[in-house]
Amino acid sequence: VPNHGAATKHVPELNLHGFGTRLGHRVGRFLGSIFPHNAQFQGRQVVTIHNQRDYLFVRHHRYIFQENTKKQKIENTKDLKTQARLQELGPRFTLKLRWLQEGTFDTQFGEYEW
């Protein structure tokens, strides 16, 4: 990823998008179990997994909040606007869901759920 930032050792937050079906809930729970459940918010890192047509798009970002201030003196604080900015940390990749096997992994006698 050109002009990417450096990742820190903080545990990222996890955002799952597009996992609304019954199969999607199952895959989302599976992917959520890969990451620890104690996100460290001071690191401001997020891993986004987006499901679209059985493709999983994975991105790793850092976010910051920046307040826009005008050069002239502002009397009303409602004029201050906060923007969220993203910096991609990488890696970025795409996965294709081929099958989901129920129970433990068994190629010979395993039952495929999808």
Side-chain angles (χ1 to χ4, degrees):
V1 178
N3 299 325
H4 66 85
T8 62
K9 294 187 184 271
H10 293 98
V11 177
E13 303 171 53
L14 181 64
N15 285 340
L16 299 173
H17 297 282
F19 293 92
T21 63
R22 185 179 79 67
L23 177 65
H25 283 281
R26 185 158 169 105
V27 172
R29 295 271 308 192
F30 169 72
L31 292 171
S33 68
I34 294 173
F35 294 92
H37 294 278
N38 56 346
Q40 298 170 338
F41 299 108
Q42 69 269 22
R44 296 189 178 197
Q45 295 184 56
V46 61
V47 172
T48 302
I49 303 175
H50 178 75
N51 179 23
Q52 185 174 7
R53 295 184 183 145
D54 298 330
Y55 284 93
L56 303 174
F57 299 96
V58 181
R59 302 292 184 263
H60 187 194
H61 291 92
R62 174 184 298 126
Y63 61 91
I64 61 169
F65 297 111
Q66 183 178 26
E67 289 187 13
N68 290 339
T69 59
K70 297 181 181 177
K71 291 182 181 178
Q72 62 222 30
K73 186 177 179 182
I74 300 174
E75 295 178 13
N76 192 355
T77 59
K78 292 181 183 178
D79 292 339
L80 293 175
K81 297 195 180 205
T82 304
Q83 291 182 335
R85 298 181 59 200
L86 292 176
Q87 180 182 26
E88 191 166 2
L89 301 177
R92 61 178 164 191
F93 54 92
T94 304
L95 301 172
K96 168 102 172 113
L97 184 64
R98 297 209 172 213
W99 67 81
L100 184 65
Q101 192 173 7
E102 189 173 338
T104 58
F105 181 71
D106 186 5
T107 56
Q108 197 171 26
F109 302 109
E111 186 175 331
Y112 291 97
E113 184 174 332
W114 180 81

